[in-house]
Amino acid sequence: MKKSLLAIALMSTFSYANAADVDNTWYIGAGAGQSNYESVDAVSHLGDDSDLAWNAVVGYQLNKYFAVEAGWQDLGTNDDTHLWGGLDGAQSIDVDGFTLGLVGTLPLSEKWFLTGEAGAYQYHLAHQMNADKYVSATDTAPYFGAGVGYKITDSLEVSAKYRRFANIDESAWNTANMDAQTVGIQMVYRFGVKPTPTAAAVVLPAVIKETKPAPRPEPVYETKIEQSSVAVLFGFDSSSLSSTAKAKLDEVIRLSKQSDNDTILLNGQSDNQGDAAYNQKLSEARVQQVADYLNANGVEVQTLEQQATGEQDAHANSRTDRALERRVIITLTSETQVVVS
């Protein structure tokens, strides 16, 4: 009975992606294993038998789940040399032909996967019934298969395959009818496989928490007081300023401008020669002369104090020592803030 090509619907699968993009790629493969002829009904002494089987395939991978595959399948020979006692091999059945089918792939991991396949086998059967009688037929039989595979590389994989071929017969004379199955290993090489692009790791900038510096402690100040004194000398019975005296007063004026919190104390004195009351008035005149000069030339102080002691502190006995007592003592006191911590 003539059989037509079968339309096969394969299961759809859901799984995680393989490591490489195999969409729209071609592949070739070859395999070998053992065939087993079963349920053999033949006009001869032949029965169930096994032999070496091999196949070659070429396929087009539609996507990671489905492929269309064509190939050549040789199921080997069922002959009487395998029967008990052994005959002369005059009886035999040889089966080979083309396969066309769909292959489904179910990825299990990045490397391991399962396969399922189904299609049609257009075979040629040659039946040597005896030394004088030989018949042959070309017909179509359905087949299906399953397997488990491992990806050696993105392009090269190996699979353990099981295939079953049903209703292989010689229908012109009805001399043979049987089933066959194969178990073997198949290698496949894929062309143009592209590695799956991997997303580049995005390195986010580190979040740096801005820390405010600890507030600096408030500085601690203390008041530093400095005093300096200079004496301006006058002539006998005189309150006039000499050029030497004016030079000393100019230096006092310069120093007073270096600080904002200065005070000046003027102390006028005289020697012990003559009337004490006169000497008192003479010391007052000398103090006033110094104060007027300082003010007139821009002295910068908080206070300018004046006092006159006359001959109160005069004790000299010689002319030279008495000349040193005719004076105004200028004491400049400066206050500055100094950081101590």
Side-chain angles (χ1 to χ4, degrees):
M1 180 178 62
K2 190 73 175 178
K3 300 182 180 67
S4 61
L5 292 175
L6 302 178
I8 307 299
L10 295 179
M11 62 181 179
S12 61
T13 57
F14 295 91
S15 181
Y16 41 85
N18 291 323
D21 182 7
V22 297
D23 293 3
N24 304 311
T25 57
W26 290 92
Y27 64 87
I28 59 174
Q34 178 177 289
S35 66
N36 292 285
Y37 290 102
E38 297 177 338
S39 303
V40 177
D41 182 9
V43 182
S44 62
H45 296 292
L46 298 176
D48 293 358
D49 194 11
S50 61
D51 197 15
L52 174 67
W54 64 273
N55 74 306
V57 297
V58 58
Y60 183 74
Q61 193 76 39
L62 302 172
N63 52 51
K64 65 184 178 182
Y65 297 119
F66 299 105
V68 178
E69 186 175 283
W72 177 264
Q73 177 69 61
D74 189 327
L75 295 177
T77 303
N78 181 355
D79 58 32
D80 58 15
T81 58
H82 299 150
L83 297 177
W84 180 85
L87 297 176
D88 59 3
Q91 299 180 9
S92 65
I93 298 176
D94 293 314
V95 181
D96 53 28
F98 294 98
T99 58
L100 178 64
L102 295 179
V103 180
T105 301
L106 175 63
L108 298 177
S109 67
E110 185 176 331
K111 294 291 189 179
W112 291 95
F113 59 93
L114 297 177
T115 62
E117 59 187 289
Y121 181 36
Q122 188 176 50
Y123 63 88
H124 174 260
L125 182 150
H127 185 187
Q128 187 73 42
M129 292 183 288
N130 54 54
D132 300 321
K133 189 172 183 179
Y134 167 85
V135 295
S136 67
T138 299
D139 210 337
T140 303
Y143 79 92
F144 64 89
V148 58
Y150 180 79
K151 291 182 179 294
I152 301 172
T153 68
D154 288 340
S155 299
L156 184 63
E157 60 192 47
V158 61
S159 302
K161 290 278 190 176
Y162 168 82
R163 293 185 178 96
R164 185 168 185 84
F165 304 84
N167 298 324
I168 299 173
D169 56 25
E170 186 279 298
S171 58
W173 302 96
N174 291 322
T175 62
N177 183 278
M178 58 190 173
D179 297 332
Q181 62 182 3
T182 63
V183 177
I185 299 295
Q186 177 175 291
M187 299 288 291
V188 165
Y189 181 81
R190 299 183 182 275
F191 299 93
V193 176
K194 298 178 181 178
T196 301
T198 55
V202 178
V203 180
L204 297 178
V207 178
I208 301 176
K209 184 177 180 181
E210 183 178 357
T211 56
K212 295 182 179 180
R216 294 182 179 180
E218 293 292 331
V220 178
Y221 297 91
E222 69 176 13
T223 301
K224 183 179 181 181
I225 299 176
E226 294 182 337
Q227 281 189 340
S228 59
S229 298
V230 62
V232 175
L233 301 181
F234 291 84
F236 180 74
D237 196 21
S238 172
S239 59
S240 300
L241 293 171
S242 64
S243 58
T244 302
K246 292 178 180 180
K248 290 184 178 182
L249 294 177
D250 289 341
E251 179 63 17
V252 172
I253 294 170
R254 186 188 70 80
L255 292 174
S256 71
K257 297 179 184 293
Q258 296 181 357
S259 178
D260 295 332
N261 195 23
D262 294 341
T263 60
I264 288 180
L265 174 62
L266 302 179
N267 183 10
Q269 299 177 357
S270 68
D271 60 20
N272 56 6
Q273 300 299 303
D275 182 66
Y278 180 82
N279 287 339
Q280 179 65 32
K281 291 186 176 294
L282 181 59
S283 65
E284 292 174 359
R286 288 170 176 167
V287 168
Q288 191 61 51
Q289 190 75 0
V290 170
D292 291 345
Y293 184 88
L294 292 176
N295 289 325
N297 290 276
V299 71
E300 295 182 5
V301 290
Q302 293 290 325
T303 59
L304 179 61
E305 298 180 11
Q306 299 174 225
Q307 69 180 23
T309 58
E311 61 180 45
Q312 177 180 333
D313 296 320
H315 306 289
N317 296 317
S318 65
R319 180 181 296 179
T320 300
D321 292 339
R322 286 195 292 271
L324 297 177
E325 292 179 341
R326 298 189 287 270
R327 62 192 178 184
V328 173
I329 300 174
I330 305 156
T331 302
L332 176 64
T333 303
S334 299
E335 293 184 5
T336 56
Q337 298 294 312
V338 180
V339 178
V340 295
S341 65

